[in-house]
Amino acid sequence: MATFISVPLKKSTEVDLVKPLTKFISATYSAAEDQGEYVRAAEELNKLRKSAVGRPLDKHESSLEVLLRYYDQLCAIEPKFPFSENQLCLTFTWKDAFDKGSLFGGSVKLALASLGYEKSCVLFNIGALASQIAYEQNFDNDEGLKTAAKYYQLASGAFSYIKDTVLSALNREPTMDISPDTVGTLSQIMLAQAQEVFFLKATSDKMKDAIIARLANQAADFYGDAFKQCQYKENLPKEVLPVLAAKHCIMQANAEYHQSLLAKQQKKFGEEIGRLQHATELVKTVASRYDEYINVKDLSDKISRALTAAKKDNDFIYHDRVPDLKDLEAIGKAALVKSTVIKVPISQKFTDLFEKMVPLAVQNSMTVYNSRKAEIVNRLIGQMREATNLSNGVLASLNLPAALEDLSGDSIPQSILEKSRAIIQQGGLQSIDQLIKDLPELLQRNREILDESLRILDEEEATDNELRNKFGQRWQRTASNDLYKPLRTEGGNARNVLDKAVQADIVVKQRYGTHREMIALLCKPEAELNAAIPSANPAKTLQGSEVVSVLRALLANVNEVKMEREKLENDIKSAQCDMTSKFLTALAQDGAINEEAISVTELDNIYGGYTQKVQQSLKIQEEILGKIQNSHQEFSTMRQSNADANQREEMLKKLAAAHDSYVELSNNLREGTKFYNELTEILLKFQNKCSDIVFARKTERDELLKDLQQNIARQPSAPSFPAVPAYQSTPSSTATPATATSSVPTPAPRTVFQSKPQPPARPPPPAIQAQAANNSTPPVSGAGPIPPATQPVSTPGATPSPAQGPPYPTYQGYPGCYQMPVAYNPYAYGQYNMPYMYQAPGQAPYPNVQQPQQPGYPYPQQPYYPQQ
């Protein structure tokens, strides 16, 4: 009989890790090289899980190494992937290690979308397999003892770690096998067994008796603590408690025995006898109570021999007084074992499959940093573009530079011709019309994706609420309403973005309608454009005037400022900084990332100089525009003005404004198209996220429903069976004989589940004498009296008890006898309404004789057929 305790492994169902991890990788990492490497790593992780928990494991160190690597890998990827119910949802299902299941209910299991739950269950299996490997060691050699002690301490450490972390990892009540109380008890058992191994090692090495006694006493103390913790653990195997109690007594007996040897060496013969007597009592307790589990014959014989010899020597030689047990000095304790500290990585051969992937904290910090960076970049670029639009508007209102080019008054200014060619090259009205036509389709596509995503969330939430109302407190899982709050917030933000985009589209269309006529005019050939522009009388010659030269110089300065802004905008967009390494350094040094402080400092270093350049550009433009307005006033007074000239100037202003509007509208529409396409990708990811979490919730719901059905099947339908009616439980003392004219069989009563007493012995066949063949009734004079057991006696109010059962024969019977059936068979021939026909060998049959029904049996009498 085994004297050491090992823990069974938990079993898990298969989980596909590749698909959800690949989705997250594709959505998070844009570089194709990184994606391919991470996808291959996800496939390797899936294979590692199948090797660790998807197959039976041998009780060998190589199998334990696989479990250790898988646990280390789970710890490594936990900070790199957002494992949660509403993000990267993976549902892990594990069965209770100690639950054997039932015929109808199955075994107890729990399914949770929690990586912490997976880690706790894998660590439980590490402790369980370590205990099994230690159990299989050869305790007769040093190597086996060292290996057993090592793995028992590892198992104790694994169970102790689960005890401290399981509740925070699960955020709900776990199964009984990984509950803090159970794993705490298992940890103490493993520690006691490790201490016992050290006791065995000291004994085999023949160390001093004082040391061995202390080791044994410490082991007894550990076993006593484990026994106290195990007393109320109904889920543990039934043999655990008696083994712990027996081990406690055995280790105490060993401690007393070796301490008695020490007392003998110290010439304390009375103490020697007292300790041996106590050891004898302990061994007798084990032999009388726990002999089924542990054999202590060898130890008992050894102690008995020592006690006999000690008493003999003391009685004849020393005559030392034997002290009472309470007067004996307490034996010291020496703990040489402790639970192995679980520190990742546990495996010495571990290599992170996702070594190049940054932790999730760094990813989140990078997301916030990129948001801060985009805000600064958009603000700076927006200021410059707004200033450029202001400059274009001011020049268009002053009809510059067309006014300087149109001194003749009858030709198209060169700037207007260049604007016309630019619009034609960009596609003219057709490109604008096509972009505007595409916007509603892009908008509708995004709306449909968003609506479908929210619809599947609504359907799952409605189902969850319905089941929650149906099962009440038994529906123990996170409410969908609470779980989907982040997703609904994200969906609401997307809805707001779409609404704002619709308003922006309306503004763009209105502006396009305002300038469409002038844009169409710019798209016409040069001759038609020249004809559409009113002509004016030639202005007086201003070519050599100083004001024209000043205006041209100022316009050149404006163009130079615009070119500098374009270059500055490109520099701002291309500015980069390796923030990943900075965040990783901060995480390694401090264990956390102060994203705001680090980001603000780095962004100020990067964009502080660009901010100053933008402000300087705005200031220079403001000064130049002021000078242009002053010079233009002087220029206007020098020109000869009339109605035709005013009309021509107004037309040129409109054409210049139309060109600027075309450029701005074209950019806005292209940005809008790009925005809708990018939003489509974001919404598709959002839809995939919603689909994944709904699928995971559906799987979890099905598992929970199955568990509830199994629990309902395991529960009794009533606390106990109802009281049996008196007519079914009162023993029968009389029976009513059946009438000769009865032709309908007596209906069988309802079955009552009671223990069936032994039926009385079947009476011997009556001795019937030969009669004439023509007699109508059988003779009874020679038959003798009917045995008392078969005589029908009628007692008022008495009813035959079905619990007594039919009087089945206890022997095969005499010739011609057929066994009586247990229950009614409607297809059997002659089961009811058949006369009692018995014919002894060589006798004629009895004609027309109705035999009375036997008492105490509600079924009709089975007929007996004559022997052929």
Side-chain angles (χ1 to χ4, degrees):
M1 189 68 68
T3 58
F4 283 87
I5 298 172
S6 61
V7 181
L9 296 171
K10 289 175 69 67
K11 295 181 180 179
S12 176
T13 57
E14 185 176 354
V15 179
D16 183 13
L17 301 177
V18 177
K19 184 177 179 181
L21 292 182
T22 302
K23 280 188 176 182
F24 174 80
I25 292 168
S26 302
T28 306
Y29 301 95
S30 57
E33 182 178 353
D34 291 342
Q35 283 190 8
E37 183 177 355
Y38 296 154
V39 168
R40 288 191 294 272
E43 294 173 352
E44 289 297 324
L45 177 62
N46 196 55
K47 294 179 182 178
L48 182 59
R49 187 183 193 275
K50 289 182 178 179
S51 300
V53 302
R55 63 181 180 89
L57 295 176
D58 298 329
K59 299 174 183 179
H60 192 268
E61 295 181 10
S62 59
S63 298
L64 181 61
E65 179 64 27
V66 175
L67 272 175
L68 294 176
R69 285 177 49 216
Y70 179 56
Y71 179 80
D72 288 338
Q73 189 61 67
L74 290 178
C75 296
I77 67 172
E78 186 175 20
K80 298 181 180 181
F81 290 92
F83 292 101
S84 64
E85 287 184 301
N86 54 5
Q87 294 187 58
L88 185 55
C89 186
L90 284 172
T91 301
F92 301 99
T93 303
W94 288 83
K95 297 180 180 179
D96 191 306
F98 300 109
D99 184 76
K100 303 302 181 183
S102 61
L103 180 61
F104 300 104
S107 59
V108 175
K109 59 184 176 181
L110 178 63
L112 283 181
S114 168
L115 190 69
Y117 176 54
E118 174 84 347
K119 287 172 54 183
S120 298
C121 294
V122 172
L123 189 57
F124 181 93
N125 275 4
I126 289 174
L129 186 58
S131 72
Q132 295 177 13
I133 294 175
Y135 180 88
E136 295 294 325
Q137 297 303 310
N138 183 3
F139 293 94
D140 295 332
N141 58 57
D142 289 348
E143 191 64 29
L145 291 171
K146 291 178 181 179
T147 303
K150 170 186 172 183
Y151 285 118
Y152 277 135
Q153 290 178 87
L154 174 61
S156 177
F159 293 134
S160 178
Y161 187 84
I162 297 172
K163 174 187 175 183
D164 298 334
T165 60
V166 65
L167 293 181
S168 60
L170 270 62
N171 293 324
R172 62 159 293 170
E173 193 69 23
T175 51
M176 288 298 296
D177 56 345
I178 59 172
S179 64
D181 291 342
T182 301
V183 292
T185 302
L186 294 177
S187 175
Q188 188 64 35
I189 293 173
M190 297 299 115
L191 198 63
Q193 295 186 151
Q195 181 73 18
E196 182 181 356
V197 170
F198 273 96
F199 160 76
L200 296 176
K201 178 74 167 59
T203 303
S204 65
D205 292 344
K206 298 181 180 180
M207 299 180 70
K208 294 181 179 180
D209 291 310
I211 297 176
I212 298 176
R214 291 186 177 187
L215 292 175
N217 197 33
Q218 183 65 68
D221 193 37
F222 283 156
Y223 276 119
D225 293 341
F227 176 80
K228 292 176 183 178
Q229 296 180 23
C230 190
Q231 279 184 305
Y232 305 103
K233 302 295 184 300
E234 298 180 356
N235 60 313
L236 294 178
K238 64 178 182 179
E239 65 270 11
V240 171
L241 191 64
V243 168
L244 293 178
K247 284 296 191 73
H248 174 67
C249 295
I250 291 173
M251 288 296 103
Q252 275 190 323
N254 277 292
E256 295 290 352
Y257 172 75
H258 286 279
Q259 193 69 19
S260 73
L261 296 179
L262 180 63
K264 182 178 181 180
Q265 297 170 8
Q266 297 173 352
K267 308 297 182 181
K268 300 177 181 179
F269 303 106
E271 179 183 345
E272 177 191 8
I273 296 174
R275 294 193 180 278
L276 289 174
Q277 287 177 345
H278 185 209
T280 302
E281 293 175 359
L282 292 170
V283 172
K284 287 181 178 179
T285 301
V286 175
S288 61
R289 297 183 182 180
Y290 312 115
D291 185 57
E292 178 184 356
Y293 302 97
I294 295 181
N295 186 358
V296 291
K297 186 177 185 304
D298 294 340
L299 178 62
S300 177
D301 293 344
K302 181 172 66 174
I303 295 174
S304 297
R305 289 194 299 269
L307 179 59
T308 301
K311 284 185 176 181
K312 181 178 179 181
D313 292 343
N314 191 56
D315 291 342
F316 287 97
I317 303 174
Y318 306 114
H319 304 288
D320 195 6
R321 186 183 67 86
V322 178
D324 293 336
L325 178 62
K326 62 181 180 179
D327 297 330
L328 292 176
E329 184 180 353
I331 303 175
K333 300 175 183 178
L336 297 185
V337 296
K338 62 180 180 178
S339 301
T340 302
V341 178
I342 301 301
K343 186 177 181 181
V344 177
I346 309 176
S347 172
Q348 302 298 325
K349 302 178 182 179
F350 170 68
T351 302
D352 188 3
L353 298 174
F354 298 88
E355 185 176 4
K356 295 183 179 179
M357 182 181 290
V358 297
L360 190 61
V362 177
Q363 296 181 31
N364 295 335
S365 299
M366 286 297 300
T367 301
V368 179
Y369 165 78
N370 290 330
S371 177
R372 295 179 189 274
K373 175 184 174 181
E375 183 180 354
I376 294 176
V377 170
N378 292 336
R379 175 171 55 82
L380 295 177
I381 294 177
Q383 289 177 351
M384 291 190 293
R385 289 183 178 181
E386 185 179 355
T388 300
N389 292 335
L390 176 62
S391 175
N392 293 336
V394 171
L395 295 180
S397 65
L398 300 178
N399 194 24
L400 293 176
L404 300 179
E405 299 167 354
D406 190 36
L407 298 179
S408 62
D410 55 358
S411 62
I412 302 176
Q414 185 63 29
S415 62
I416 298 297
L417 286 176
E418 292 176 356
K419 288 178 172 56
S420 175
R421 295 191 192 102
I423 290 177
I424 292 173
Q425 288 178 358
Q426 295 182 25
L429 287 177
Q430 289 79 6
S431 64
I432 297 291
D433 291 338
Q434 185 62 40
L435 290 172
I436 292 178
K437 180 181 177 182
D438 293 340
L439 287 180
E441 296 180 2
L442 298 174
L443 174 65
Q444 182 62 25
R445 180 180 64 189
N446 288 326
R447 285 191 184 278
E448 289 176 355
I449 296 173
L450 181 59
D451 292 341
E452 176 64 18
S453 303
L454 297 178
R455 183 190 64 80
I456 60 177
L457 292 181
D458 293 337
E459 289 184 355
E460 200 285 327
E461 182 176 342
T463 304
D464 182 71
N465 292 334
E466 180 181 350
L467 293 173
R468 190 174 302 279
N469 294 332
K470 179 178 180 181
F471 292 103
Q473 296 296 331
R474 290 181 294 177
W475 194 249
Q476 295 180 352
R477 72 168 185 169
T478 307
S480 297
N481 184 32
D482 298 333
L483 187 62
Y484 295 158
K485 284 182 179 179
L487 291 175
R488 294 196 180 279
T489 301
E490 187 176 349
N493 294 336
R495 182 82 67 187
N496 294 334
V497 168
L498 284 176
D499 294 340
K500 292 179 180 179
V502 170
Q503 297 299 323
D505 293 343
I506 294 175
V507 173
V508 169
K509 291 178 182 179
Q510 290 176 351
R511 293 186 60 189
Y512 177 61
T514 302
H515 297 281
R516 192 178 191 282
E517 184 179 355
M518 291 295 103
I519 294 173
L521 185 58
L522 287 173
C523 294
K524 291 183 178 181
E526 182 177 347
E528 295 184 19
L529 178 59
N530 191 19
I533 300 175
S535 60
N537 293 329
K540 60 183 179 179
T541 304
L542 295 175
Q543 294 290 347
S545 63
E546 182 180 359
V547 66
V548 173
S549 300
V550 171
L551 283 173
R552 286 177 176 170
L554 292 172
L555 291 176
N557 291 339
V558 171
N559 291 332
E560 185 179 351
V561 170
K562 290 181 181 178
M563 293 176 63
E564 289 178 355
R565 283 180 185 162
E566 291 179 359
K567 182 177 181 301
L568 185 59
E569 181 176 338
N570 293 330
D571 292 342
I572 291 174
K573 289 180 178 179
S574 60
Q576 297 292 335
C577 179
D578 185 13
M579 294 300 297
T580 301
S581 60
K582 295 183 181 297
F583 288 140
L584 284 172
T585 303
L587 183 62
Q589 291 178 351
D590 304 331
I593 300 176
N594 189 351
E595 182 276 328
E596 183 177 2
I598 298 175
S599 297
V600 170
T601 301
E602 293 300 324
L603 289 174
D604 185 63
N605 294 334
I606 297 172
Y607 295 103
Y610 292 125
T611 302
Q612 294 179 0
K613 291 181 179 180
V614 170
Q615 295 301 323
Q616 185 178 359
S617 175
L618 298 180
K619 185 178 180 181
I620 293 173
Q621 175 181 296
E622 186 178 358
E623 294 176 355
I624 295 174
L625 289 180
K627 294 178 181 180
I628 288 176
Q629 289 175 338
N630 293 334
S631 298
H632 185 269
Q633 290 180 358
E634 183 179 353
F635 174 77
S636 298
T637 57
M638 294 175 63
R639 293 184 61 186
Q640 181 181 359
S641 299
N642 52 38
D644 293 338
N646 292 336
Q647 291 180 1
R648 180 180 176 83
E649 185 174 357
E650 191 65 30
M651 175 61 74
L652 293 177
K653 289 180 181 179
K654 290 181 179 180
L655 290 174
H659 169 267
D660 294 338
S661 297
Y662 178 88
V663 173
E664 185 177 357
L665 288 172
S666 180
N667 291 334
N668 290 341
L669 289 172
R670 287 190 176 90
E671 289 179 356
T673 302
K674 180 182 178 182
F675 163 77
Y676 281 125
N677 289 329
E678 292 177 350
L679 184 61
T680 299
E681 295 181 4
I682 295 174
L683 290 178
L684 285 175
K685 294 178 182 178
F686 176 71
Q687 186 182 31
N688 290 335
K689 189 187 300 184
C690 294
S691 301
D692 291 343
I693 190 173
V694 167
F695 177 78
R697 294 282 286 179
K698 181 180 181 298
T699 304
E700 182 185 12
R701 180 188 68 201
D702 295 341
E703 290 288 341
L704 186 56
L705 280 174
K706 185 178 179 180
D707 292 343
L708 287 175
Q709 292 170 355
Q710 292 176 352
N711 291 335
I712 293 173
R714 280 193 293 264
Q715 293 175 356
S717 57
S720 60
F721 287 106
V724 180
Y727 75 91
Q728 294 183 356
S729 60
T730 304
S732 174
S733 59
T734 60
T736 304
T739 60
T741 59
S742 175
S743 62
V744 180
T746 305
R750 297 180 61 183
T751 302
V752 179
F753 298 97
Q754 295 179 350
S755 59
K756 185 182 299 182
Q758 291 295 329
R762 186 178 181 86
I768 303 176
Q769 298 181 1
Q771 298 292 329
N774 57 354
N775 287 345
S776 59
T777 59
V780 296
S781 59
I786 300 176
T790 61
Q791 292 180 0
V793 181
S794 177
T795 302
T799 306
S801 172
Q804 296 178 353
Y808 294 119
T810 57
Y811 54 91
Q812 184 64 30
Y814 41 85
C817 172
Y818 285 80
Q819 297 287 342
M820 182 177 294
V822 176
Y824 167 64
N825 183 0
Y827 301 101
Y829 172 76
Q831 187 165 0
Y832 294 107
N833 303 327
M834 297 297 293
Y836 179 84
M837 294 182 293
Y838 169 76
Q839 181 184 6
Q843 291 184 348
Y846 297 102
N848 301 327
V849 175
Q850 184 72 26
Q851 183 71 11
Q853 185 174 348
Q854 294 186 8
Y857 179 61
Y859 297 97
Q861 177 65 40
Q862 175 72 17
Y864 294 90
Y865 297 95
Q867 200 174 29
Q868 299 296 329

